[in-house]
């Protein structure tokens, strides 16, 4: 099973993996997220004040979602020392609240760690691996992460074509259109699924026109 996941990750630059987090841990995590955003799952009128997309939260029930199995998978895919892959004390929530009246549009791709002021270098890798951890089922057009399968290799080739020009992730990200990254794929994860993605994978968040929020967390090592 792990060999199949690793093969997928290497070829496509991402792998969406189920079964790393016990269901009761995810359920407690989802309950904690509703409390953290001060919203009632049974009352959509309370969802409107829960606006911010990114929120850092110190919440043990959310940190507990980073199970030893998840951390071991991150180490396996990133090919680095397992001691590096620790669970967080503070989690980064990335929640997409629904706007059923909006029109869903395919988002534009980006790579992470590409903010100019942060000055991250392209080589050696800006981070080992990134994860998105989903706390609820995500329907089509419900705020699923969009990935460009295999784009990590195309973007790597672009970077290596001019290592000086693309020394910074910021400059590489600006030229993604030159990399020929192919067609996007909108993921529809199940609760408890974890998306592992390569630091050069083109991806994007997307809008949520469904009838429920998308609760997720992002962590990188
Ligand atoms: O929310 C998502 O699905 C992805 C978000 C993302 O790509 C980012 O915040 O860098
Ligand atoms: Fe991103």
């Amino acid at each position: 099973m792990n060999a199949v996941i690793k093969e997928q990750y290497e070829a496509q630059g991402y792998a969406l993996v189920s079964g790393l987090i016990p269901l009761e841990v995810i359920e407690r995590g989802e309950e904690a997220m509703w409390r953290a955003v001060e919203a009632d799952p049974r009352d959509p009128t309370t969802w409107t004040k829960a606006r911010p997309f990114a929120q850092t939260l110190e919440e043990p029930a959310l940190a507990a979602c980073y199970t030893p199995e998840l951390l071991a998978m991150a180490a396996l895919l990133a090919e680095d020392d397992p001691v590096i892959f620790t669970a967080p004390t503070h989690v980064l929530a990335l929640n997409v609240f629904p706007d059923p009246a909006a029109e869903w549009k395919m988002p534009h791709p980006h790579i992470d760690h590409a903010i100019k002021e942060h000055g991250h270098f392209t080589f050696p890798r800006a981070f080992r691996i990134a994860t998105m951890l989903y706390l609820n089922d995500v329907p089509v057009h419900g705020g699923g992460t969009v990935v460009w399968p295999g784009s990590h290799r195309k973007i790597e080739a672009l970077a290596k074509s001019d290592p000086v020009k693309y020394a910074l992730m910021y400059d590489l990200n600006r030229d993604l259109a030159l990399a020929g990254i192919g067609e996007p794929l909108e993921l529809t994860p199940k609760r408890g699924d974890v998306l592992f993605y390569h630091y050069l994978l083109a991806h994007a968040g997307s809008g949520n026109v469904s009838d429920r929020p998308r609760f997720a967390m992002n962590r990188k090592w």
Side-chain angles (χ1 to χ4, degrees), residues 156-218:
E156 183 181 41
L158 176 67
K160 287 185 169 166
S161 74
D162 195 338
V164 174
K165 181 173 181 188
Y166 298 123
L168 291 176
M169 293 287 279
Y170 168 75
D171 290 305
L172 185 57
N173 184 52
R174 285 204 309 170
D175 270 1
L176 284 195
L178 306 180
I181 60 173
E183 294 305 312
L185 174 68
E186 181 193 357
L187 300 176
T188 51
K190 296 286 170 207
R191 66 187 335 198
D193 283 0
V194 181
L195 171 68
F196 295 86
Y197 63 97
H198 187 277
Y199 88 107
L200 292 177
L201 184 79
H203 67 278
S206 69
N208 181 355
V209 300
S210 79
D211 58 1
R212 67 193 105 138
R214 186 215 67 173
F215 287 157
M217 300 185 282
N218 184 286

Side-chain angles (χ1 to χ4, degrees), residues 110-112 197 203-204 218 220:
H110 69 267
I111 51 175
D112 288 346
Y197 63 97
H203 67 278
N218 184 286
K220 301 179 176 75

Side-chain angles (χ1 to χ4, degrees), residues 129-178:
I129 196 163
T131 53
M132 287 289 296
L133 191 167
Y134 304 93
L135 294 170
N136 45 19
D137 290 343
V138 184
V140 172
H141 298 180
T145 308
V146 174
V147 296
W148 275 257
S151 58
H152 63 315
R153 293 295 170 229
K154 314 270 182 44
I155 295 168
E156 183 181 41
L158 176 67
K160 287 185 169 166
S161 74
D162 195 338
V164 174
K165 181 173 181 188
Y166 298 123
L168 291 176
M169 293 287 279
Y170 168 75
D171 290 305
L172 185 57
N173 184 52
R174 285 204 309 170
D175 270 1
L176 284 195
L178 306 180

Side-chain angles (χ1 to χ4, degrees), residues 29-193:
E30 189 190 1
E31 283 165 23
M33 191 67 91
W34 281 108
R35 281 196 304 276
V37 298
E38 296 174 12
D40 179 349
R42 286 161 301 275
D43 182 3
T45 63
T46 66
W47 301 354
T48 49
K49 62 186 263 212
R51 284 287 86 169
F53 170 62
Q55 242 180 315
T56 301
L57 302 170
E58 187 177 5
E59 168 54 62
L62 292 172
C65 295
Y66 292 87
T67 60
E69 291 74 17
L70 186 163
L71 300 171
M73 182 62 73
L76 175 80
L77 298 179
E79 298 184 339
D80 213 334
D81 191 336
V83 302
I84 294 164
F85 298 84
T86 55
T89 54
H90 296 67
V91 303
L92 178 62
L94 297 183
N95 296 328
V96 188
F97 286 85
D99 187 358
E103 191 193 334
W104 193 89
K105 287 202 272 309
M106 189 56 82
H108 295 291
H110 69 267
I111 51 175
D112 288 346
H113 274 35
I115 294 170
K116 187 174 193 181
E117 293 71 31
H118 295 179
H120 289 290
F121 291 108
T122 305
F123 301 112
R125 57 187 176 182
F127 53 87
R128 294 174 185 82
I129 196 163
T131 53
M132 287 289 296
L133 191 167
Y134 304 93
L135 294 170
N136 45 19
D137 290 343
V138 184
V140 172
H141 298 180
T145 308
V146 174
V147 296
W148 275 257
S151 58
H152 63 315
R153 293 295 170 229
K154 314 270 182 44
I155 295 168
E156 183 181 41
L158 176 67
K160 287 185 169 166
S161 74
D162 195 338
V164 174
K165 181 173 181 188
Y166 298 123
L168 291 176
M169 293 287 279
Y170 168 75
D171 290 305
L172 185 57
N173 184 52
R174 285 204 309 170
D175 270 1
L176 284 195
L178 306 180
I181 60 173
E183 294 305 312
L185 174 68
E186 181 193 357
L187 300 176
T188 51
K190 296 286 170 207
R191 66 187 335 198
D193 283 0

